[in-house]
Amino acid sequence: MFKKLFFLVVVVTNVAFSQSELPLIPMPNSIQMEKGFFVLSKETVIQADEKSFEAQYLKAQIKEITGWDLPILPVTKANSKIALSFVVGSLVSTDSKQYHLDISTKKASIQAESDAGFFYGIQTFLQLIPSNSKTQIRVPCLKIDDAPKYAWRGMHLDCARHFFPKEFVKKYIDYLAMYKFNTFHWHLTDDQGWRIEIKKYPKLTEIGAWRNGSMVGHYNEQKYDSIRYGGFYTQDDIKEIVAYATQRHITIVPEIEMPGHAVAALAAYPEYSCTGGPFEVAKQWGVLDDVFCPKEETFTFLQDILTEVIALFPSQYLHIGGDECPKTRWKTCLHCQALIKEKGLKDEHELQSYFVQRIEKFVNSKGRKIIGWDEILEGGLAPNAAVMSWRGTSGGVAAAKQKHFVVMTPGSHCYFDHYQGDPKNEPLAIGGYTTVDKVYSFNPTPTELTPEESQYILGAQANLWTEYIEDYAKVEYMIFPRMIAMSEVLWGTSNPDQFKNFQARMLQQFATLDQKGIHYSKAIFEVTSKTMPAPQGNGVVLTLKSATNSNGIRYTVDGTSPIWSSNSYTNPIEITKDQCIKAAYFEKEVQKSAVMEQKFFWSKSVGKKITLVHQPHENYSTGGAFALIDGIMGDRSKFGRDWLGFLGKDLNATIDLGTATTVHQVAISVLSNEGSWIYYPNTIEILVSNDGKEFKSIKQLSSSEIKAVNGLVKINFEAQSAQFVKVIATNLGKIPTGMPGAGSNAWLFVDEIGVE
């Protein structure tokens, strides 16, 4: 290694500056504040190798921020007294991604062991430059030593459901670079579209890249247009994008789905299915039954495809999907059943494992490794495979304990297609509720792992599935500012207990987003609410807050819109009856946020004690058991924060009314969204007790009776006295053949339980 160092002379007044004022995200590992400022002006010179991409990148970014076109001069020829000096030298750490940023009144220098380290140092330096350019810009003096914690710092983009042109994919990569992500998971194939040119099989894009319509609105509405839709990336496009990402120290991991999510491919080449087709590229979202058939000719087909994919992408890992593969066709396919017997497999799950292991051997033979969604654990994990854990963290824990590498991406914290603000005020999304602070609270390394097992956690990533994301503006809206929070989680410097500090730094980033014309969600400025049991057990209380200043919140309790002269929020609002609370944030007399609206529906169970036998799945557990008796009815078209989801488990809830009470009705809200594998319960049973031990069953509804009332189930019975009311809603269990998700565990979604 060699060392280059240049000094510059600038005289400024020494001024103190605090770390809390720095707009840095992700927060560096170590910051030492110094007195004074380095002055950046249009006379500043960048001292570096002119051929260095990093130097050219810095030059371009400074020009975008300030309008100044700073020259790049070789170190040996620099004659300016003001310079940015790149320094290459031995650092204490052996981490090639580490950098040292030293800003004094005389110079700003970056020291690193690699170009990637330089690049990360540049991102930190750029964040210190205010977006409002002036004649001179003062950058605080400091010393930073920094390196990432996790090796896999990823963002995902689904280009199969909706296609995004090459230019936007590059822009997406730029966004990742700004916040030091190093992995771009590019989802290129699915039932609804095949997006990558394969020269040996041209029909994959001639036919598979185009569908004759798309879903309009939410899946529940079952509405479609008839507009031909599609697009694909040529191999030249892919090469250009890969080179673009590589310059920015981002690895692209392509995803080629198999054995499921294959209808677009089968529409082009139906001979690789179990039935022979014909098929058309899917218009609907969800999971479809037709998958690749594990015939020898299918493996040849897929190996030919992967050969071309591997030639385009230099990444160590190749993502093969492996998720949501219905076994319906395999169960009735003569070839599949014969193969199960021939290979001594137990069932179709082991057949999927056989499929994955066949593909893994081929990929390994090309010097690469596979990674797949956590379903590849089912039936036995391929020997060298890595696992991407999305159905919670349990799959990742299981894989790490088996000494397989893991990327954590649970839907609970990492799915950016979920709502990020109050669903009532947000554009249509698939469901879920994942706020900025929830993302920031994520810990990629599960606490149940030992230190040795934790070494198998490569990192994490956030996923953006695009069924409900039609254009680039909404892509930006859904990732920002949540990806800013994720960047600090993955760098390893997040601290959920210091969220306010992070939030202050994040708000400073919005000026940069505005300057770059990036669309981002302002949900964080909304007045947000949280419902809690009233202290005396009589109803609930509603707390309100704003990201900026809760003292500016005005609210009404009668459903009218708040104005400046409305109630000023100072204490939690007690709810003891049906009512509608509306609130907004004001600065002086000007309303600065959308109106938050929360309706409450009163019943005898609101705010009472509730216990569950089975806990909801971590992906759909916001509010926990209390969400069932908080007086809030969840939005059926936007199932976000107010719903609890149980995967393969029953709802078994006991409500303690506190004293013997006359009851005659129980109402419970349940949801059906079969494309997302959410099914109505098989049965709902009501039981009562006065001691909480011995329960008497008083009413049970069948599946047909539940379906007949379409979601809000009101169960009437003879009036009787009871202190405890138990509600058991039985999960559908394994989804039957012929239904979406056949063979997999069903989801049971429930909301408010009202007792009258």
Side-chain angles (χ1 to χ4, degrees):
M1 305 298 290
F2 60 98
K3 182 174 290 186
K4 296 180 181 177
L5 180 61
F6 275 76
F7 296 87
L8 49 104
V9 179
V10 176
V11 179
V12 296
T13 304
N14 287 341
V15 180
F17 209 87
S18 69
Q19 289 186 25
S20 62
E21 295 175 294
L22 297 176
L24 298 180
I25 296 177
M27 176 62 79
N29 285 269
S30 172
I31 304 176
Q32 179 181 331
M33 300 303 302
E34 306 284 342
K35 291 183 178 180
F37 293 88
F38 166 65
V39 174
L40 177 69
S41 73
K42 59 184 178 181
E43 282 78 35
T44 302
V45 172
I46 300 172
Q47 290 185 327
D49 181 353
E50 191 173 12
K51 296 180 181 179
S52 162
F53 169 78
E54 285 69 33
Q56 293 291 343
Y57 178 88
L58 176 60
K59 173 186 172 78
Q61 293 300 309
I62 290 177
K63 184 176 182 180
E64 182 179 327
I65 296 171
T66 66
W68 303 332
D69 190 12
L70 304 185
I72 301 173
L73 296 182
V75 172
T76 55
K77 295 182 180 180
N79 55 15
S80 171
K81 294 182 179 180
I82 303 175
L84 295 176
S85 301
F86 287 81
V87 184
V88 182
S90 297
L91 300 179
V92 175
S93 171
T94 58
D95 189 335
S96 64
K97 303 300 188 296
Q98 183 178 15
Y99 69 91
H100 174 73
L101 174 62
D102 188 346
I103 302 176
S104 70
T105 59
K106 298 181 178 181
K107 69 178 186 299
S109 65
I110 299 170
Q111 186 176 4
E113 288 287 341
S114 67
D115 289 340
F118 276 134
F119 193 73
Y120 298 146
I122 286 170
Q123 298 300 341
T124 300
F125 180 79
L126 290 171
Q127 288 185 356
L128 293 169
I129 302 174
S131 58
N132 53 333
S133 61
K134 301 176 182 178
T135 304
Q136 289 185 337
I137 292 175
R138 300 197 303 172
V139 181
C141 294
L142 47 71
K143 293 180 180 179
I144 289 176
D145 286 297
D146 203 12
K149 177 178 180 179
Y150 292 104
W152 188 300
R153 306 185 303 281
M155 284 290 295
H156 157 284
L157 180 63
D158 168 23
C159 292
R161 275 50 177 267
H162 281 101
F163 176 76
F164 303 98
K166 174 180 65 176
E167 292 72 22
F168 179 72
V169 175
K170 287 182 176 181
K171 187 177 289 189
Y172 194 84
I173 290 167
D174 283 335
Y175 300 156
L176 272 61
M178 285 169 58
Y179 295 102
K180 303 186 178 81
F181 289 88
N182 70 346
T183 305
F184 172 37
H185 176 175
W186 199 2
H187 187 80
L188 290 166
T189 74
D190 217 297
D191 296 311
Q192 295 81 16
W194 184 281
R195 305 294 179 215
I196 177 173
E197 177 189 26
I198 301 298
K199 294 186 180 296
K200 191 167 185 177
Y201 299 101
K203 288 191 291 184
L204 284 171
T205 47
E206 291 171 2
I207 296 173
W210 306 92
R211 59 178 182 258
N212 294 319
S214 306
M215 275 194 152
V216 178
H218 200 277
Y219 182 93
N220 284 346
E221 300 174 42
Q222 290 292 302
K223 294 180 180 179
Y224 300 84
D225 64 30
S226 57
I227 302 170
R228 189 170 186 261
Y229 181 89
F232 65 93
Y233 306 99
T234 67
Q235 293 200 0
D236 285 341
D237 291 336
I238 299 286
K239 291 173 184 177
E240 183 179 336
I241 292 169
V242 168
Y244 190 86
T246 300
Q247 285 182 319
R248 289 153 180 79
H249 306 283
I250 292 171
T251 299
I252 300 182
V253 176
E255 181 175 358
I256 309 297
E257 285 269 19
M258 62 186 77
H261 290 284
V263 169
L266 296 177
Y269 295 94
E271 60 267 34
Y272 303 120
S273 69
C274 290
T275 66
F279 309 101
E280 67 170 322
V281 179
K283 298 178 182 179
Q284 72 272 39
W285 317 135
V287 180
L288 305 181
D289 284 340
D290 288 293
V291 302
F292 287 122
C293 183
K295 300 179 284 192
E296 286 304 313
E297 52 267 38
T298 302
F299 287 114
T300 299
F301 171 69
L302 293 173
Q303 288 169 7
D304 288 343
I305 290 171
L306 294 179
T307 296
E308 293 193 30
V309 171
I310 287 169
L312 292 169
F313 294 93
S315 56
Q316 178 186 13
Y317 284 101
L318 180 72
H319 205 299
I320 54 92
D323 63 313
E324 298 176 327
C325 179
K327 310 301 188 291
T328 304
R329 297 292 183 251
W330 288 358
K331 286 179 182 292
T332 59
C333 172
L334 295 178
H335 169 79
C336 291
Q337 293 304 309
L339 187 61
I340 289 173
K341 291 180 181 179
E342 176 190 337
K343 301 297 181 182
L345 307 176
K346 290 181 180 179
D347 54 22
E348 289 76 21
H349 291 288
E350 288 199 0
L351 181 59
Q352 178 167 335
S353 179
Y354 165 79
F355 191 113
V356 171
Q357 291 185 38
R358 279 283 302 264
I359 294 298
E360 185 192 44
K361 287 179 181 177
F362 174 76
V363 172
N364 290 168
S365 74
K366 297 290 186 178
R368 307 295 181 85
K369 299 177 181 178
I370 68 165
I371 187 168
W373 303 107
D374 55 53
E375 284 94 332
I376 67 173
L377 285 160
E378 298 169 2
L381 188 55
N384 303 307
V387 170
M388 197 166 272
S389 188
W390 73 281
R391 296 179 301 177
T393 58
S394 58
V397 169
K401 287 182 177 295
Q402 296 176 40
K403 299 184 177 181
H404 285 263
F405 286 109
V406 175
V407 175
M408 286 294 189
T409 180
S412 56
H413 295 77
C414 301
Y415 270 47
F416 288 1
D417 55 338
H418 290 180
Y419 293 104
Q420 57 192 312
D422 188 333
K424 301 179 187 68
N425 301 325
E426 288 291 295
L428 182 65
I430 192 170
Y433 185 61
T434 306
T435 58
V436 169
D437 56 328
K438 189 172 185 180
V439 173
Y440 194 71
S441 71
F442 180 52
N443 179 4
T445 304
T447 56
E448 58 262 51
L449 294 179
T450 67
E452 181 183 1
E453 292 164 344
S454 297
Q455 296 176 23
Y456 290 95
I457 304 299
L458 291 174
Q461 72 178 34
N463 298 327
L464 191 70
W465 302 101
T466 62
E467 290 93 335
Y468 302 97
I469 302 175
E470 304 87 2
D471 55 48
Y472 76 88
K474 193 170 179 182
V475 169
E476 294 174 347
Y477 182 91
M478 297 302 280
I479 64 173
F480 285 109
R482 289 185 286 192
M483 72 171 284
I484 299 177
M486 181 60 73
S487 74
E488 191 153 302
V489 168
L490 297 179
W491 199 255
T493 53
S494 60
N495 182 351
D497 293 335
Q498 297 294 321
F499 178 73
K500 283 290 186 183
N501 174 276
F502 165 77
Q503 181 176 273
R505 289 181 284 117
M506 181 184 71
L507 293 177
Q508 292 183 72
Q509 292 289 315
F510 288 0
T512 298
L513 302 185
D514 288 333
Q515 184 193 47
K516 291 180 177 292
I518 296 172
H519 302 80
Y520 60 95
S521 169
K522 297 179 177 65
I524 194 166
F525 294 113
E526 289 181 347
V527 174
T528 57
S529 63
K530 184 176 182 180
T531 309
M532 298 180 293
Q536 305 304 320
N538 182 29
V540 297
V541 294
L542 181 71
T543 60
L544 304 177
K545 70 175 182 177
S546 167
T548 46
N549 182 0
S550 294
N551 292 331
I553 296 176
R554 300 291 187 268
Y555 72 95
T556 61
V557 297
D558 59 0
T560 58
S561 292
I563 57 176
W564 173 247
S565 59
S566 301
N567 301 307
S568 177
Y569 178 76
T570 54
N571 295 304
I573 305 165
E574 188 174 1
I575 308 296
T576 58
K577 60 182 180 180
D578 284 0
Q579 61 188 132
C580 177
I581 308 296
K582 289 188 177 182
Y585 172 70
F586 290 79
E587 290 182 359
K588 296 184 178 180
E589 297 186 10
V590 180
Q591 183 177 324
K592 292 293 187 178
S593 74
V595 174
M596 181 224 76
E597 177 181 328
Q598 187 59 71
K599 293 181 179 179
F600 287 89
F601 300 89
W602 186 258
S603 77
K604 295 176 180 178
S605 56
V606 172
K608 302 301 183 182
K609 294 180 180 179
I610 183 170
T611 57
L612 298 176
V613 173
H614 306 295
Q615 295 306 308
H617 192 277
E618 62 185 291
N619 288 6
Y620 298 97
S621 60
T622 303
F626 181 68
L628 301 177
I629 43 85
D630 61 3
I632 299 172
M633 299 288 287
D635 189 326
R636 195 165 297 280
S637 64
K638 296 184 175 182
F639 53 101
R641 61 180 182 173
D642 301 317
W643 293 87
L644 299 187
F646 298 82
L647 181 59
K649 296 179 180 179
D650 300 335
L651 166 74
N652 189 324
T654 300
I655 300 169
D656 181 356
L657 299 175
T659 186
T661 306
T662 300
V663 297
H664 65 89
Q665 182 191 81
V666 172
I668 178 172
S669 192
V670 292
L671 186 70
S672 174
N673 187 334
E674 295 182 359
S676 298
W677 303 4
I678 303 171
Y679 287 85
Y680 283 139
N682 268 332
T683 61
I684 299 176
E685 183 180 11
I686 308 301
L687 305 93
V688 296
S689 170
N690 276 311
D691 61 7
K693 298 177 182 178
E694 298 292 329
F695 282 85
K696 177 179 67 173
S697 178
I698 56 174
K699 194 70 175 283
Q700 180 170 308
L701 295 189
S702 66
S703 175
S704 59
E705 291 173 306
I706 296 166
K707 292 177 181 177
V709 295
N710 195 30
L712 181 57
V713 183
K714 294 183 178 180
I715 305 169
N716 297 299
F717 45 85
E718 185 178 341
Q720 51 200 284
S721 178
Q723 179 177 339
F724 299 89
V725 177
K726 184 187 291 288
V727 181
I728 300 175
T730 58
N731 193 294
L732 178 67
K734 293 293 183 183
I735 301 173
T737 299
M739 304 294 287
S744 299
N745 287 326
W747 283 97
L748 170 65
F749 268 64
V750 296
D751 186 28
E752 193 71 8
I753 301 175
V755 177
E756 295 291 352

